[in-house]
Amino acid sequence: MNLFSYQLLTTLAMPFIAYSGWKRCRKHQKQQLQNPDLPEIPDCFRSRFGFNRQNYQTDGIWIHAVSVGETRSIFPLLSALKKQYPNLPLTVTNGSTQGALQALQFSPVAIQHQMLPYDYPFAIKRFLHQIKPKLVIMVETEIWPNLYQACKKQNIPVILINARLKESSFKAYQKWGGKLIANALNQTQFISAQFATDAEHFKALGAEESKIKTLGNLKFDLNIAEDLSDRAHNWKQQNQLLERPIWVAASTHAHPIHSENKASEEQLILDAHQELLKSQPNALLILVPRHADRFQPVADLLSENSLIWQQRSQSNEVKTDTQVYLADSVGELMLWFSVADIAFIGGSLVPFGGHNILEPAALNKPVLSGPNYQNLAALFEPFVNQEGVKIVDNSHELAQTLEQLITHKSQANKLANQGYKCFAQQTGAVDRTLQALKPYLEPYLEPHLES
């Protein structure tokens, strides 16, 4: 495919793209009416076409992250950039409303924000004129040919950081991308790959070898709140949970194949918990669906089961007989990991492809995952090889493993320690990334900061 064909196809698809974007923004508006604590996403739909009523500071750094995980991964980088280059405004864009909520609610520093303009030349041109960035940083697998081309024409350097290509994306780009993807990749100043496998994938897609660096995964450089442990202990104490075994099932999904015969991951989790309760009747499950729009369907599922359950949005007080606590809140995942004795990471008992296991590993918690972690195979590999994560094949094996770890503390501690050791060996990506960005940002240092 070439650029002309890409532009023709995306133009023809504009009504469908626009409708999809409008639906997502409309859904957020409805959620905001139900939950006034959710922030507004300014010009959520209009901004996808470059129309925005905000008055932006210009001549700064534009950083784009798609959704929740990518957005959280850039928080340490945002803090470091603000510290080193305080005179440069930071603009963050997102491709999903969930990512936008993360940025707007939890960014560690002041940012300008809007949704990413769709990859149409007129929309990109309008947004670039609004913010006039000195540098554009794209996170993970964000390859937008018109955006890259526009930046090239305006001499705005583009850098792809924390770059990764899961196997399915790599094969799709190989099949359909052709010169279009190769040209876009070579319009970047450099590509910072997470792992050697990712670097090889970008090279195979046509990126010049000289442009590819392997700097590690930003997600390993977590900012853990100093009071997190105290808050977790206080929450458990207030709810009389200090003596109860607690496990968290985080980032759970519906089954990606929509069928009455395909159980959701939450149902598989509940099956495991019911089995666990036979030997550990006092066990508490904290259930955290991946996406906020699934909070209500999961609540409906819990109502259909025989388990005693509560939801976070209704009460922060856990009753003594509660067996499942539905954490239908945003931004509290690290608290639930800190509270729990064992963490299971979802998207892995159903064929979704897995999710990030780093946060519970960083908190020295035993980490469990299902077998479907193919989207993060490079991240999982060292953990699997060093026995820093336990892979369970089904809900029955999950229940058995939970019972084993609860009963035998030494096994739980060994798994947790191996996971933490593996995590600690791979930190430092933020510093390496900052060093690689330095040549593009040094000219904009304030005089008194130069040394």
Side-chain angles (χ1 to χ4, degrees):
M1 183 183 293
N2 58 31
L3 186 61
F4 175 78
S5 301
Y6 170 77
Q7 290 176 339
L8 176 62
L9 288 172
T10 53
T11 299
L12 292 173
M14 186 183 292
F16 305 100
I17 293 171
Y19 178 66
S20 175
W22 177 83
K23 273 208 319 182
R24 293 180 183 185
C25 290
R26 180 62 178 159
K27 178 188 285 188
H28 169 69
Q29 289 177 337
K30 292 180 179 178
Q31 290 173 344
Q32 193 183 21
L33 289 174
Q34 296 172 354
N35 183 2
D37 291 335
L38 287 178
E40 178 187 0
I41 301 175
D43 294 306
C44 180
F45 179 63
R46 287 165 45 91
S47 62
R48 304 309 297 262
F49 295 93
F51 295 103
N52 201 307
R53 289 166 288 192
Q54 297 183 67
N55 292 317
Y56 289 108
Q57 289 180 280
T58 59
D59 302 315
I61 305 169
W62 170 16
I63 305 175
H64 171 66
V66 185
S67 194
V68 176
E70 296 86 355
T71 303
R72 294 191 66 84
S73 77
I74 66 171
F75 286 171
L77 181 63
L78 290 176
S79 297
L81 287 170
K82 179 56 70 175
K83 182 178 180 180
Q84 290 196 22
Y85 308 101
N87 57 315
L88 297 181
L90 300 175
T91 302
V92 174
T93 59
N94 293 102
S96 77
T97 54
Q98 293 301 313
L101 291 177
Q102 287 289 320
L104 290 166
Q105 287 182 293
F106 306 114
S107 173
V109 298
I111 59 169
Q112 304 179 135
H113 183 274
Q114 81 153 55
M115 299 296 291
L116 176 72
Y118 289 130
D119 198 36
Y120 295 110
F122 70 90
I124 297 298
K125 182 179 179 181
R126 188 174 288 124
F127 184 57
L128 289 175
H129 178 73
Q130 290 169 347
I131 65 171
K132 298 180 174 64
K134 298 291 188 185
L135 176 68
V136 175
I137 300 173
M138 309 297 286
V139 180
E140 295 205 8
T141 316
E142 286 297 281
I143 307 170
W144 298 107
N146 286 324
L147 190 157
Y148 284 31
Q149 177 82 358
C151 290
K152 182 74 171 178
K153 285 183 178 179
Q154 297 186 34
N155 295 315
I156 303 169
V158 177
I159 294 170
L160 186 59
I161 68 166
N162 217 44
R164 74 180 183 103
L165 275 174
K166 59 185 180 182
E167 198 64 31
S168 58
S169 299
F170 170 61
K171 290 178 179 178
Y173 280 132
Q174 269 194 320
K175 185 175 182 179
W176 304 107
K179 289 184 179 179
L180 178 73
I181 296 301
N183 289 340
L185 292 173
N186 288 316
Q187 286 172 335
T188 64
Q189 300 302 307
F190 68 84
I191 300 164
S192 166
Q194 291 185 14
F195 301 102
T197 302
D198 300 306
E200 289 300 317
H201 282 166
F202 283 108
K203 183 179 175 182
L205 290 178
E208 297 170 9
E209 189 171 0
S210 61
K211 287 183 177 286
I212 304 171
K213 309 172 187 283
T214 304
L215 301 180
N217 188 341
L218 292 178
K219 292 178 181 177
F220 281 90
D221 290 12
L222 295 172
N223 280 338
I224 298 175
E226 293 181 2
D227 67 340
L228 180 62
S229 180
D230 288 341
R231 287 193 289 121
H233 178 81
N234 291 340
W235 188 84
K236 291 171 71 173
Q237 188 174 51
Q238 290 166 6
N239 288 289
Q240 300 179 335
L241 294 170
L242 292 174
E243 303 301 321
R244 292 183 65 179
I246 303 173
W247 68 290
V248 60
S251 297
T252 57
H253 280 258
H255 199 289
I257 301 173
H258 299 292
S259 167
E260 292 183 2
N261 299 322
K262 302 293 185 181
S264 69
E265 191 164 38
E266 290 87 8
Q267 183 59 65
L268 298 175
I269 295 294
L270 296 179
D271 291 344
H273 191 57
Q274 286 179 317
E275 186 175 341
L276 175 65
L277 289 171
K278 295 175 183 177
S279 60
Q280 298 289 333
N282 209 27
L284 174 68
L285 163 64
I286 299 176
L287 182 57
V288 192
R290 176 69 176 180
H291 299 298
D293 59 4
R294 298 203 61 250
F295 289 163
Q296 188 55 51
V298 175
D300 294 340
L301 175 66
L302 282 163
S303 296
E304 297 169 2
N305 280 263
S306 59
L307 292 160
I308 302 169
W309 67 283
Q310 288 179 254
Q311 55 193 118
R312 168 71 176 88
S313 59
Q314 300 297 321
S315 175
N316 194 35
E317 296 182 5
V318 182
K319 297 176 182 177
T320 55
D321 61 346
T322 295
Q323 297 168 317
V324 181
Y325 190 66
L326 175 59
D328 55 345
S329 60
V330 176
E332 293 188 306
L333 186 56
M334 286 297 282
L335 174 63
W336 307 132
F337 283 141
S338 189
V339 161
D341 301 302
I342 304 165
F344 172 83
I345 305 302
S348 59
L349 278 180
V350 293
F352 176 81
H355 281 298
N356 182 3
I357 59 175
L358 300 177
E359 290 174 328
L363 295 173
N364 206 20
K365 304 291 181 176
V367 182
L368 312 181
S369 171
N372 300 297
Y373 56 84
Q374 62 273 13
N375 290 351
L376 296 168
L379 185 151
F380 269 71
E381 183 178 1
F383 284 86
V384 172
N385 292 341
Q386 298 180 42
E387 298 182 346
V389 61
K390 173 67 176 175
I391 306 301
V392 295
D393 289 333
N394 50 55
S395 59
H396 174 63
E397 190 174 335
L398 173 58
Q400 287 185 318
T401 303
L402 288 166
E403 198 276 334
Q404 189 80 2
L405 294 175
I406 291 169
T407 304
H408 299 90
K409 297 295 184 184
S410 61
Q411 293 183 21
N413 290 337
K414 181 180 178 181
L415 179 59
N417 291 338
Q418 283 299 106
Y420 179 79
K421 180 181 177 182
C422 190
F423 164 80
Q425 288 172 348
Q426 301 185 61
T427 57
V430 169
D431 288 340
R432 291 189 289 272
T433 301
L434 280 172
Q435 194 63 28
L437 295 175
K438 192 173 181 180
Y440 306 96
L441 295 173
E442 285 292 282
Y444 310 112
L445 273 173
E446 289 183 337
H448 73 276
L449 292 177
E450 293 179 352
S451 57

